[in-house]
Amino acid sequence: MINEPIDPRDAERHRAKMAKRKAVQDAEVASKNIEKGLLIVHSGPGKGKSTAAFGLALRMLGYGRTVGIVQFIKGAWHTGEKDAFAAFGNRVKWHTMGEGFTWETQDLARDKAAAERAFDKARELMDDPAVSLVILDELNIALRYEYLDLNDVIDVLTSRRPDLHVVITGRNAKPALIEAADLVTEMQLVKHHFAAGVKAQVGIEF
Amino acid sequence: MINEPIDPRDAERHRAKMAKRKAVQDAEVASKNIEKGLLIVHSGPGKGKSTAAFGLALRMLGYGRTVGIVQFIKGAWHTGEKDAFAAFGNRVKWHTMGEGFTWETQDLARDKAAAERAFDKARELMDDPAVSLVILDELNIALRYEYLDLNDVIDVLTSRRPDLHVVITGRNAKPALIEAADLVTEMQLVKHHFAAGVKAQVGIEF
């Protein structure tokens, strides 16, 4: 791939535009000075909600920090991320507390009891001063099916210690949770390979 | 948090609904049988594009696989994920080939040359049979500013070996790239802490 030589006028236009952009960018950065633990929500129908949460965990691990992960719905099946996190020893506190998708258990009382146990574990991790980031994976699903009381959950989240980051994943985040959050991203599905008959594959879906 | 006792009729309604859901789900899964390397695009203005790509890398690493990462724009600044990936030794081939944001360099010829070098490195990783997943981080930015020729890039991507997964990140993905991709997710910004004056923090933004 050979680029054409650049016209000096194009180069200068580019330089001027980027110099202006930099001034805006620098002013933006300078205007932000608050540091705080964030309540982060990854929702929406697209792929990447849990995956981005695990990416954040990885970033945190790079600074020698400790992360806690509670899986509210997913059951005991094997995933690559869990094996990979083993490289960080006890700096990843991983707890799979679900019993599989709600359409697998087909048992409301059992699903509620599992969600309660998962949230107790979440509270324990949030109370641990060694933990910098807690991921509550698929908590939105437990809230959507009313396995847990939304107000109780939000009370616990908003009364956590001020420097603790929490990431909550799952479709259909409740409006009250979005209201309480600092950072909310919706993963939108533009195009999905499942629609083209491609199956779930190692390293991609699990 | 104490749950109310569950009305047996509610329990049965739940069971019946979930049994139906499971039948749909099972039929869905059974209908998919293609295995192939995916061309994945993470775009949109929201946070999580690169982070979810790194999460995919982590998942792949959990299966003992090797991943390649080329950063097209980001320069040599320190990030947690890079340090964390060091735990996997030479199973992560990390190449920061950018020279900083376009508004930092303010030099079109230099940006183009850096993008060319980055794409050469990307090709080298894609040609390495030991690599299962290649992340082309911020390639969309290089394409947006026309540092690289879009058609040439798509030709290289679509002629890769059939089992290689590639993830491309960055805002403003080109329509032709979306057309060529198997899986496209748009990260939509619903709410961002920067707007509330919170600064970029360790383990969250870098």
Side-chain angles (χ1 to χ4, degrees), chain B residues 7-22:
Chain B
D7 184 319
R9 286 162 305 182
D10 285 348
E12 175 47 29
R13 259 196 299 274
H14 179 86
R15 197 206 56 74
K17 190 171 146 195
M18 289 304 145
K20 198 180 275 179
R21 176 93 187 267
K22 178 168 165 54

Side-chain angles (χ1 to χ4, degrees), chain B residues 112-127:
Chain B
K112 282 195 176 198
E116 291 286 336
R117 281 194 303 274
F119 199 66
D120 286 344
K121 181 55 74 178
R123 263 192 292 215
E124 187 190 312
L125 289 170
M126 289 168 67
D127 287 342

Side-chain angles (χ1 to χ4, degrees), chain A residues 1 7 9 15 22 25 45 72 78 98 100 103-104 111 115 117 120-121 128 130 133 135 138 142 149-150 158 161 197:
Chain A
M1 196 156 40
D7 184 319
R9 286 162 304 181
R15 197 208 55 74
K22 178 165 163 58
Q25 209 73 24
F72 277 77
H78 182 260
W103 58 85
E104 295 291 347
D111 288 350
R117 282 194 303 274
D120 286 345
K121 181 56 73 179
D128 180 347
L133 170 75
I135 296 173
E138 309 276 21
D149 182 84
L150 178 62
T158 53
R161 55 172 219 271

Side-chain angles (χ1 to χ4, degrees), chain A residues 1, chain B residues 119 139-140 142-144 146-157 173-178:
Chain A
M1 196 156 40
Chain B
F119 199 66
L139 173 59
N140 287 336
L143 291 171
R144 181 190 183 191
E146 298 178 4
Y147 296 164
L148 296 170
D149 181 84
L150 177 62
N151 292 327
D152 288 353
V153 167
I154 290 178
D155 280 350
V156 169
L157 291 171
K174 294 283 184 184
L177 182 65
I178 290 174

Side-chain angles (χ1 to χ4, degrees), chain B residues 125-136:
Chain B
L125 289 170
M126 289 168 67
D127 287 342
D128 180 346
V131 172
S132 297
L133 169 75
V134 174
I135 296 173
L136 306 179

Side-chain angles (χ1 to χ4, degrees), chain B residues 161-183:
Chain B
R161 59 172 216 271
D163 64 334
L164 178 69
H165 301 289
V166 175
V167 188
I168 293 164
T169 77
R171 295 182 185 213
N172 302 294
K174 294 283 184 184
L177 182 65
I178 290 174
E179 182 61 36
D182 300 292
L183 167 61

Side-chain angles (χ1 to χ4, degrees), chain A residues 9-190:
Chain A
R9 286 162 304 181
D10 285 347
E12 176 47 28
R13 259 197 298 275
H14 179 87
R15 197 208 55 74
K17 190 170 146 196
M18 290 303 145
K20 199 180 273 180
R21 175 94 186 267
K22 178 165 163 58
V24 172
Q25 209 73 24
D26 287 350
E28 275 264 312
V29 171
S31 72
K32 298 174 200 349
N33 46 34
I34 301 167
E35 287 192 57
K36 59 175 288 204
L38 301 175
L39 183 57
I40 301 171
V41 176
H42 294 172
S43 197
K47 188 163 157 55
K49 299 180 285 293
S50 300
T51 315
F54 297 139
L56 275 179
L58 185 80
R59 189 166 286 156
M60 209 51 102
L61 290 164
Y63 291 96
R65 308 271 184 112
T66 293
V67 304
I69 299 167
V70 179
Q71 296 196 292
F72 277 77
I73 303 295
K74 277 170 197 149
W77 74 72
H78 182 260
T79 62
E81 55 271 33
K82 190 175 171 184
D83 285 0
F85 278 134
F88 301 96
N90 60 10
R91 288 204 291 123
V92 178
K93 299 174 186 300
W94 182 291
H95 300 276
T96 301
M97 307 292 289
E99 304 201 323
F101 287 121
T102 51
W103 58 85
E104 295 291 347
T105 65
Q106 301 176 21
D107 182 335
L108 187 56
R110 190 173 140 187
D111 288 350
K112 282 195 176 199
E116 290 287 337
R117 282 194 303 274
F119 199 65
D120 286 345
K121 181 56 73 179
R123 263 191 293 214
E124 188 189 311
L125 290 169
M126 291 168 66
D127 287 344
D128 180 347
V131 172
S132 296
L133 170 75
V134 174
I135 296 173
L136 305 178
D137 191 33
E138 309 276 21
L139 173 60
N140 286 336
I141 311 298
L143 290 171
R144 180 189 183 190
Y145 287 113
E146 297 180 3
Y147 296 164
L148 297 169
D149 182 84
L150 178 62
N151 291 327
D152 288 355
V153 167
I154 289 177
D155 280 352
V156 170
L157 291 170
T158 53
S159 60
R160 75 193 189 282
R161 55 172 219 271
D163 64 335
L164 177 67
H165 301 289
V166 175
V167 188
I168 293 163
T169 77
R171 294 181 186 215
N172 301 293
K174 294 281 185 185
L177 182 65
I178 290 174
E179 180 62 34
D182 300 293
L183 167 61
V184 181
T185 305
E186 280 243 332
M187 277 62 173
Q188 290 299 338
L189 189 157
V190 177

